[in-house]
Amino acid sequence: MNSLTAALLASAALLAAPATAQNASPVPGYSAPAPVVTLPGTPQPPFPTTPPKLIVAISVDQFSADLFQQYRNHFTGGMARLLTGAVFPSGYQSHAATETCPGHSTILTGYRPAHTGIIANNWVDQSVNRPDKIVYCSEDESVTGMNHNNYVVSDKHLKVPTLGERMKTADPRVRTVSVAGKDRAAVMMGGHKMDEIWWWDGKTYVSYAGRPVPPVVERTRKAVADLVARPQEPLPLPGFCKPLDRPITVGSQTLGTGRFQRMAGDLKAFRVSPAADAAVLAMAAGFVQDMKLGQGPQTDILSVGLSATDYIGHALGTQGAEMCIQMAELDRSLAGFFDVLDATGVDYEVMLTADHGAHDMTERQQIRAMPMESHVAPDARTKAMSAAIAKAMGLPNDPPLLMSAEGDIYVNSALPAATRAKVLAEAKRRYEALPQVAAALTRDEIAATPWPTTPPETWTLKEKARSSYDPTRSGDLLILLKPRVTTIEEPAPGYVETHGSPWDYDRRVPILFWRKGMAGFEQPLSVETVDIAPTLAATIGLPIPGVDGRCLDLDPGTADTCKR
């Protein structure tokens, strides 16, 4: 193995050594940066005026702005390098449906979910010819014998082009590569015209049927198989993680004792560990090396979806020692990844953000001065609500009056129009009466809401919902729970914490840009993830008019990178 696969996966030092925050920085010339202070009149180094040869867009799944702020002073590796660039700590996935698929669909398209068509991870399509009417965002539901949990991956539901697609249309020589820990991350960031696209399917790294397997994927597959075949001892605890090192009881589980210890052959445990991100970064770096990305006359683009933070958050929460270890190891793995990119001599530009934030598990919040935290009550279940309405109105409930996916409620389309209207009105009335519900918005209410034009932190619930609303896919009624009410009714193994709410702890994410030679600055005011694509496009002189986002000027000097 001659790529970063060897460095990240065959090296026990990187996967099991103490977190780098306790040690010297693995990035030569970089250390934990001091706060960037730019005084009026201070001369700034010139911003690079030529287009970068390689764009590297990284999404860290569930990397909230709160998590970024909590650990930013402990970063000494790859994240520390990014902190010397342009830092936007209050980026917004501004829509209501703060989930993986819609979030990733905004990052490299410049469009909000209302325009990408990716309203949620799943939605209901009552015309689908299968008992399972739920459609997964990255599936081809026309394939017979499948369902939303067992599906053929497809990009068909993404309605808009990604930055990589636009680049390839403008110059067919452009190479576009997307790798991720989830299919929906790889698809939504990569788009429809991919030279290479690979993701983890729970067992190994796969792509669309019939795609030849390049050597770097074979190397990564073998390295991961060899790694998983061996047991993993608990990872050492960085010193700054020690205050978080305590067990907690959540339902029938006691969490906070494993530190990613793994039995030999446990693929699920591998996915919920820092090693999963190291493997994706290894494969990404291997593609850079093998395909010589950034070494042609054109600018190439690589998108990288790192999913371990999300899996760790769901399974173990955001405020335990495990997440602390993950932050240290992510910082470390990014440093190794950037080292490999540096060695190529390519002028590359990095953007790092997240698809959504998250909120720690209810049980830990309740013992940390937040007694108002709660799990959603059973009476909010769609199945229970449908049965109650059917009984009250004297209607049959087979098939059910109401169906749901995520927060969207769909009224049975086979009902007469007048009956559907009555069922919808009764559902709205009943949901609004529930003490945990903040709003129950009909599709007519959402569609009539003007497109928001103010900063995203000021948006009303209707405006947030409007940004996620697609009339061909959204439900008849959208249920939004009050702050600090989790959609998890009962925590279970692998699922103790979640996201998806319209509140800022799920909407706010960091957005970081870095390129060698650029002057760093920090802008604390809000921006949106839809601003990323037009900003990156501006650095390569590619106009992308008509998107929902705006270009962010990355030059703190006198030049305006958005007008090049």
Side-chain angles (χ1 to χ4, degrees):
M1 294 181 292
N2 60 7
S3 72
L4 191 59
T5 300
L8 292 185
L9 300 176
S11 170
L14 187 56
L15 290 178
T20 49
Q22 290 183 298
N23 306 316
S25 170
V27 183
Y30 288 89
S31 59
V36 176
V37 179
T38 303
L39 299 177
T42 302
Q44 296 294 323
F47 192 88
T49 57
T50 56
K53 300 300 293 182
L54 175 64
I55 292 173
V56 181
I58 303 171
S59 172
V60 180
D61 199 324
Q62 205 185 122
F63 187 38
S64 68
D66 293 333
L67 204 57
F68 168 70
Q69 182 63 31
Q70 182 176 355
Y71 288 103
R72 63 179 294 174
N73 291 336
H74 296 292
F75 293 136
T76 61
M79 289 297 300
R81 179 189 295 211
L82 298 181
L83 281 166
T84 66
V87 178
F88 298 89
S90 291
Y92 273 80
Q93 290 282 2
S94 47
H95 47 275
T98 48
E99 297 179 329
T100 300
C101 214
H104 278 101
S105 80
T106 71
I107 294 171
L108 289 180
T109 65
Y111 289 103
R112 297 172 184 139
H115 291 143
T116 69
I118 309 301
I119 64 164
N121 286 346
N122 302 282
W123 56 82
V124 171
D125 184 346
Q126 299 184 59
S127 69
V128 174
N129 187 26
R130 64 188 188 195
D132 168 23
K133 300 295 184 182
I134 297 178
V135 173
Y136 173 57
C137 62
S138 295
E139 75 159 309
D140 181 354
E141 67 275 16
S142 67
V143 179
T144 59
M146 301 286 103
N147 59 51
H148 75 286
N149 289 316
N150 180 27
Y151 52 85
V152 172
V153 175
S154 171
D155 57 27
K156 64 183 286 185
H157 293 305
L158 181 62
K159 293 183 174 182
V160 296
T162 60
L163 177 60
E165 288 180 66
R166 293 177 183 269
M167 292 167 61
K168 187 176 280 290
T169 298
D171 185 347
R173 297 173 300 178
V174 169
R175 276 90 55 80
T176 60
V177 176
S178 185
V179 295
K182 295 180 181 178
D183 56 59
R184 53 189 179 270
V187 169
M188 295 302 155
M189 291 182 72
H192 308 93
K193 297 180 181 180
M194 299 302 304
D195 290 288
E196 294 290 353
I197 179 169
W198 296 85
W199 62 85
W200 179 257
D201 74 344
K203 296 180 181 179
T204 190
Y205 294 97
V206 301
S207 188
Y208 298 127
R211 182 179 289 275
V213 182
V216 62
V217 175
E218 291 285 17
R219 295 196 302 267
T220 309
R221 285 175 171 178
K222 183 180 185 303
V224 170
D226 291 345
L227 180 73
V228 174
R230 304 189 301 271
Q232 172 67 61
E233 293 299 315
L235 295 183
L237 192 68
F240 62 86
C241 297
K242 289 181 179 179
L244 302 175
D245 187 28
R246 62 189 66 180
I248 182 170
T249 300
V250 183
S252 61
Q253 309 172 79
T254 298
L255 304 176
T257 60
R259 298 186 197 167
F260 305 111
Q261 184 174 15
R262 184 180 68 241
M263 300 292 290
D266 192 340
L267 288 168
K268 289 184 177 180
F270 164 76
R271 185 182 70 174
V272 188
S273 77
D277 283 347
V280 171
L281 287 168
M283 185 162 54
F287 272 119
V288 172
Q289 293 173 321
D290 289 8
M291 294 178 67
K292 300 187 184 303
L293 296 180
Q295 297 184 41
Q298 74 289 336
T299 298
D300 297 322
I301 184 167
L302 167 68
S303 59
V304 183
L306 303 178
S307 304
T309 301
D310 185 70
Y311 286 125
I312 292 166
H314 283 305
L316 301 164
T318 65
Q319 294 300 307
E322 299 90 353
M323 185 60 79
C324 189
I325 293 171
Q326 163 63 4
M327 290 294 99
E329 293 301 315
L330 173 65
D331 182 41
R332 184 182 185 116
S333 294
L334 285 170
F337 176 61
F338 295 151
D339 276 346
V340 173
L341 298 188
D342 291 342
T344 67
V346 169
D347 177 13
Y348 64 95
E349 179 178 23
V350 180
M351 184 287 307
L352 183 144
T353 189
D355 54 345
H356 53 73
H359 194 49
D360 196 28
M361 66 182 74
T362 298
E363 289 74 11
R364 187 150 47 211
Q365 298 282 32
Q366 288 176 339
I367 62 176
R368 290 187 172 180
M370 294 291 145
M372 73 292 292
E373 299 277 337
S374 64
H375 293 280
V376 67
D379 55 5
R381 287 180 184 170
T382 306
K383 183 177 180 181
M385 184 65 73
S386 182
I389 293 174
K391 182 177 180 180
M393 298 181 66
L395 295 172
N397 196 41
D398 186 16
L401 297 181
L402 304 178
M403 292 165 277
S404 67
E406 320 305 343
D408 281 282
I409 307 295
Y410 300 76
V411 180
N412 188 340
S413 60
L415 295 172
T419 304
R420 291 186 76 248
K422 291 178 181 178
V423 170
L424 177 60
E426 181 64 10
K428 178 178 172 66
R429 184 189 70 80
R430 287 174 177 259
Y431 274 112
E432 287 180 336
L434 296 178
Q436 293 179 320
V437 171
L441 304 174
T442 67
R443 62 168 36 240
D444 289 343
E445 289 178 292
I446 298 171
T449 300
W451 196 249
T453 57
T454 58
E457 70 271 20
T458 69
W459 291 6
T460 66
L461 288 178
K462 286 184 180 179
E463 288 175 321
K464 296 173 188 178
R466 181 67 183 84
S467 293
S468 295
Y469 174 75
D470 181 324
T472 67
R473 294 174 182 170
S474 294
D476 298 299
L477 190 66
L478 177 65
I479 307 304
L480 300 174
L481 299 178
K482 290 181 178 178
R484 298 173 179 168
V485 179
T486 177
T487 55
I488 297 176
E489 186 179 333
E490 294 181 1
Y495 192 55
V496 300
E497 164 262 271
T498 193
H499 46 84
S501 82
W503 308 112
D504 280 4
Y505 48 74
D506 284 348
R507 295 172 75 221
R508 288 180 61 245
V509 298
I511 301 176
L512 312 173
F513 296 89
W514 181 88
R515 185 180 175 192
K516 185 178 180 180
M518 71 179 291
F521 69 93
E522 180 154 341
Q523 172 53 269
L525 298 179
S526 62
V527 295
E528 296 184 62
T529 54
V530 293
D531 299 334
I532 292 168
T535 301
L536 293 174
T539 67
I540 58 173
L542 178 66
I544 54 171
V547 296
D548 295 328
R550 65 182 180 88
C551 177
L552 305 173
D553 181 13
L554 300 183
D555 185 354
T558 57
D560 186 347
T561 57
C562 295
K563 294 181 180 179
R564 291 183 179 173

